[in-house]
Amino acid sequence: MADTCPSTRFGADEPAYFRHSQISGMFSQLIAALAAAIEAERDIENGLWSDPSFSHWLKLAEQGWARATDLCRAIIDAPATRPSDVPLQRFTRHFHWTLGCETAAELRIARQVLSGHFDLFSWNGSGPEERRVEQMLARGRQQFDEVCTLDMLNSIEPVTFPEVGSESEPFAA
């Protein structure tokens, strides 16, 4: 025989629940798409090109990043219908820009913007909507950090050698 146990704490406000807006719904999908893309990208990083599964992993990664960038563009272009949509759009815009970083300096700036302006990429409150939006933004920040550590954004920059005849110090033998 099974005993019954309520799943909601006593005194909880049952009618209050979270209902997605268009932007928060797409942001939730973006979080899932990023998780899949990050996993596929890590498979590529840790695999060998001669592995028979490599082409499959590469295809999954390309599809994952394409889905993530499509969702980013959709979130950026969608109209904000409530105030909590603004930080979700702002975070998505910054994340989309970060995915396009081509140098270590750009990536460093992207990380500094997110860590230095926490107030722009967060949402506070105690209601169901506020808690859910803050949870989505917190997960987005975690994924941002994960993406920033991937090899695709941390490629080795080419070494530049000084030109002959420049004002560099002469080579000492």
Side-chain angles (χ1 to χ4, degrees), residues 32-133:
L34 285 171
I38 291 168
E39 181 180 350
E41 191 67 32
R42 285 183 178 153
D43 286 341
I44 291 171
E45 288 179 1
N46 297 323
L48 297 172
W49 65 268
S50 60
D51 189 328
S53 298
F54 187 82
S55 63
H56 176 69
W57 295 334
L58 181 61
K59 182 179 178 182
L60 287 176
E62 289 172 348
Q63 290 172 344
W65 292 119
R67 171 125 172 87
T69 55
D70 289 346
L71 282 167
C72 283
R73 279 187 243 115
I75 293 169
I76 292 167
D77 293 340
T81 57
R82 56 186 181 201
S84 62
D85 289 342
V86 174
L88 294 172
Q89 279 184 312
R90 190 178 297 134
F91 180 85
T92 303
R93 190 175 299 111
H94 183 68
F95 195 89
H96 189 257
W97 178 79
T98 303
L99 287 176
C101 288
E102 295 179 355
T103 65
E106 287 178 346
L107 185 60
R108 190 172 36 258
I109 290 169
R111 293 182 103 166
Q112 289 172 349
V113 167
L114 190 66
S115 64
H117 300 284
F118 186 78
D119 56 323
L120 296 176
F121 304 102
S122 64
W123 191 251
N124 297 321
S126 60
E129 177 186 337
E130 291 85 2
R131 287 191 309 262
R132 179 60 187 256
V133 169

